Amino acid sequence: MAVATQAQFKEALGSEEKFNEFISDYFKSHKVLTGNYDDGIYFENWQVHLDSEEGLVITLVTGSYTGQAFPIKDTEHLSVEDFRQLILNKKFADKSKSLSDVFHMAADTIA
């Protein structure tokens, strides 16, 4: 299914309506998308869900294992169309990127 989702994702980017439908369908079946990064010094955990009133809600928790007392949590709200434009303008629509990869990059960009 991951390959089909990537192909559908890339195709949906071409139209605001198709992308909105793709994102809505994706979150109907997945509810939340999570990811993380940890290199032993720095970590981040992120979570994305779709809210009917607020659009995409991206929560990013970042921290360091050295020197930082507490992790930092940031929550951003982004419309589905703004997210599509961010992807198009940042060229995240790369064939090798999964939806998870794109959300990760978007979380880093807007947080």
Side-chain angles (χ1 to χ4, degrees):
M1 180 155 163
V3 174
T5 300
Q6 285 178 333
Q8 292 167 351
F9 171 69
K10 184 165 175 55
E11 181 181 329
L13 280 170
S15 139
E16 180 177 353
E17 184 178 308
K18 285 182 182 181
F19 190 72
N20 195 24
E21 184 178 311
F22 173 83
I23 292 294
S24 294
D25 288 347
Y26 182 87
F27 281 104
K28 281 179 189 172
S29 59
H30 292 89
K31 305 298 180 208
V32 85
L33 180 63
T34 60
N36 61 61
Y37 170 81
D38 188 331
D39 66 5
I41 297 171
Y42 169 83
F43 68 89
E44 61 185 39
N45 298 303
W46 52 271
Q47 188 176 70
V48 182
H49 72 273
L50 183 62
D51 182 284
S52 61
E53 293 180 17
E54 299 178 348
L56 294 167
V57 179
I58 302 172
T59 303
L60 180 65
V61 177
T62 59
S64 171
Y65 297 113
T66 58
Q68 185 176 332
F70 299 101
I72 298 168
K73 181 178 180 180
D74 185 34
T75 300
E76 298 289 337
H77 300 93
L78 192 63
S79 75
V80 173
E81 177 55 15
D82 285 346
F83 181 60
R84 184 176 83 92
Q85 290 301 318
L86 178 67
I87 294 167
L88 293 172
N89 293 330
K90 294 293 184 177
K91 301 194 183 343
F92 291 157
D94 184 319
K95 289 181 183 177
S96 66
K97 302 295 182 199
S98 68
L99 184 59
S100 180
D101 292 334
V102 171
F103 275 122
H104 181 207
M105 289 184 282
D108 285 346
T109 301
I110 65 172

